[in-house]
Amino acid sequence: MKYRFLILTIFLVTMIFTGCSEDKIAKNKIPLVKVQKVDTFENNPAENYSGVVKGRYETNLAFQVGGQIMSRNVEVGSQVKAGDVLMTINPRDVVQQTNQAESQVASAKAQLDLAATNLNRYRQLFQENAIAASVLDQYQTNYDAAVAAYDNAIAVAAQSQNALDYTNLVAEVDGVISAINVESGQIVAAGQTVATIVQTDELEIAVDIPESKISSIETNQPAIITFWALPDNVEGFVREISPIADAAARTFAVKISVPNPPLKMQLGITANVIINSKDNLNDKAIILPLTAIYQTDETPKVWLVVDNKVVLKAVDVTNFEDNKIIVRGLNNNDLVVTAGVHKLHEGQEVRISN
């Protein structure tokens, strides 16, 4: 009797452990999957670029006449107002040209007065039938030539006076002198750049975008600008994209307009520009690893884990980037299987890897 009880006890214990082992084996047969939780905000990729504050309008300044620079009234960084005299050229030669032009005006005026007197005299003689019409025509021609010569002398004198005014280099707008290329005593030619002025009434950010990223940038695209020297963050937008890459750096110059700049935003300070990729401005665009895509026909799909079971969902692929893929069509908090997708089937029970 004792042996029967012992055998029965051993049998029951064996059955219990066998049942537990079978449950464990059955549980282990449920595949373990790796998932990515969808967060449409965090998955919107944004690129950071270093930039510099510059003026939208930058003008190279030059004298309209040549000569020796007598004085330079500004330095790099000088704030100037419209009408300020920035530099002057020795006007001695121009003054002599002006005096010569005025003398030519006086000579032309004397010739004109003489031609007018002769013409009036010969008109009276012609009315008295004292001379032939051909003689009167000759004096009329002399008068017309004198008028033309006088007008030409007046024009030359005005040009000489303008040249005298051009010996002063005057600022046409308010701004900051960003570069000076000459010194006092230097001889310059007409049209030679001597300085550069930047208008400060409209500042913007200049950034260089690598050629691998330029395709994701377009005009009017929003941007966020932060400054190393300022606590303010401001909004901007892409105003201009250079159509040609820099030959050495292979980057494209991009201008970021800042409609409401902070008060202490100054020329030359560095800025950090954050630009969302144009393919991801929509809040439904997310990045997934390429291994998450399950495709057996023309429609790309992903496996979603819903109540511990997998279901297929079609997605819209917008771009490929290295080993990643940008898709739309998913919702926040969706659990996307990112590995082993071709081993699953619809409705299959799965376990989520922690």
Side-chain angles (χ1 to χ4, degrees):
M1 190 71 178
K2 182 187 294 184
Y3 289 108
R4 288 182 179 178
F5 178 76
L6 181 59
I7 291 171
L8 180 60
T9 302
I10 293 172
F11 176 75
L12 291 174
V13 172
T14 302
M15 291 297 294
I16 291 172
F17 279 101
T18 301
C20 292
S21 178
E22 290 177 351
D23 290 342
K24 187 174 182 180
I25 292 173
K27 185 176 181 180
N28 287 336
K29 288 183 179 180
I30 300 175
L32 187 67
V33 295
K34 185 178 180 180
V35 299
Q36 175 179 322
K37 188 175 182 179
V38 172
D39 188 323
T40 56
F41 177 77
E42 291 183 355
N43 280 277
N44 270 333
E47 299 291 346
N48 288 262
Y49 302 101
S50 178
V52 178
V53 177
K54 292 186 176 182
R56 177 171 180 176
Y57 301 104
E58 216 173 75
T59 306
N60 292 328
L61 304 177
F63 286 98
Q64 292 181 252
V65 293
Q68 184 181 35
I69 295 179
M70 288 186 61
S71 64
R72 194 190 79 185
N73 305 325
V74 292
E75 303 289 343
V76 173
S78 296
Q79 296 273 352
V80 298
K81 300 290 186 182
D84 289 350
V85 177
L86 309 180
M87 300 182 191
T88 60
I89 278 182
N90 191 332
R92 181 174 52 193
D93 293 339
V94 181
V95 168
Q96 293 299 327
Q97 293 174 2
T98 302
N99 293 338
Q100 182 181 5
E102 290 176 352
S103 298
Q104 290 175 350
V105 170
S107 176
K109 181 65 167 61
Q111 294 295 327
L112 176 61
D113 291 343
L114 177 60
T117 300
N118 289 336
L119 179 61
N120 289 333
R121 182 182 299 117
Y122 279 87
R123 277 178 178 169
Q124 292 177 0
L125 293 174
F126 177 73
Q127 291 173 358
E128 296 172 359
N129 295 321
I131 60 171
S134 58
V135 175
L136 178 62
D137 291 341
Q138 179 181 351
Y139 281 94
Q140 179 67 51
T141 301
N142 292 341
Y143 173 79
D144 293 339
V147 171
Y150 178 72
D151 291 341
N152 181 67
I154 291 291
V156 171
Q159 186 177 15
S160 298
Q161 184 60 50
N162 290 339
L164 184 60
D165 294 338
Y166 294 153
T167 58
N168 292 328
L169 184 63
V170 179
E172 299 292 336
V173 295
D174 297 350
V176 173
I177 301 299
S178 63
I180 294 178
N181 306 324
V182 295
E183 296 293 339
S184 296
Q186 185 173 339
I187 296 176
V188 297
Q192 177 183 339
T193 299
V194 297
T196 302
I197 186 171
V198 179
Q199 297 184 36
T200 54
D201 57 345
E202 187 170 353
L203 301 178
E204 61 185 13
I205 314 296
V207 298
D208 294 321
I209 306 295
E211 59 182 1
S212 60
K213 301 291 185 181
I214 195 64
S215 62
S216 65
I217 307 298
E218 62 182 15
T219 55
N220 297 320
Q221 198 167 323
I224 300 295
I225 301 104
T226 60
F227 302 92
W228 292 104
L230 302 176
D232 305 300
N233 296 345
V234 294
E235 296 181 355
F237 62 89
V238 177
R239 181 184 67 81
E240 178 183 290
I241 302 173
S242 173
I244 303 174
D246 181 86
R250 306 310 304 169
T251 56
F252 289 80
V254 174
K255 306 294 180 61
I256 310 296
S257 182
V258 185
N260 299 303
L263 293 177
K264 295 184 178 180
M265 177 174 159
Q266 298 178 348
L267 287 169
I269 66 173
T270 55
N272 182 63
V273 179
I274 303 172
I275 305 177
N276 276 309
S277 168
K278 70 180 182 181
D279 293 322
N280 302 288
L281 293 176
N282 191 307
D283 62 355
K284 297 299 183 182
I286 68 164
I287 295 178
L288 294 175
L290 191 58
T291 54
I293 293 299
Y294 177 84
Q295 188 167 358
T296 57
D297 52 23
E298 295 182 356
T299 304
K301 300 177 178 133
V302 296
W303 288 106
L304 301 183
V305 178
V306 180
D307 297 331
N308 295 325
K309 294 182 180 180
V310 291
V311 294
L312 273 177
K313 185 170 184 178
V315 292
D316 179 23
V317 176
T318 62
N319 197 11
F320 290 89
E321 188 175 300
D322 298 329
N323 290 323
K324 297 178 181 179
I325 193 167
I326 301 172
V327 303
R328 289 188 175 90
L330 298 175
N331 299 315
N332 270 330
N333 301 320
D334 279 348
L335 297 178
V336 181
V337 178
T338 59
V341 295
H342 291 284
K343 298 180 181 180
L344 303 175
H345 59 267
E346 186 74 26
Q348 182 178 1
E349 187 176 358
V350 295
R351 291 178 297 138
I352 297 174
S353 174
N354 294 325

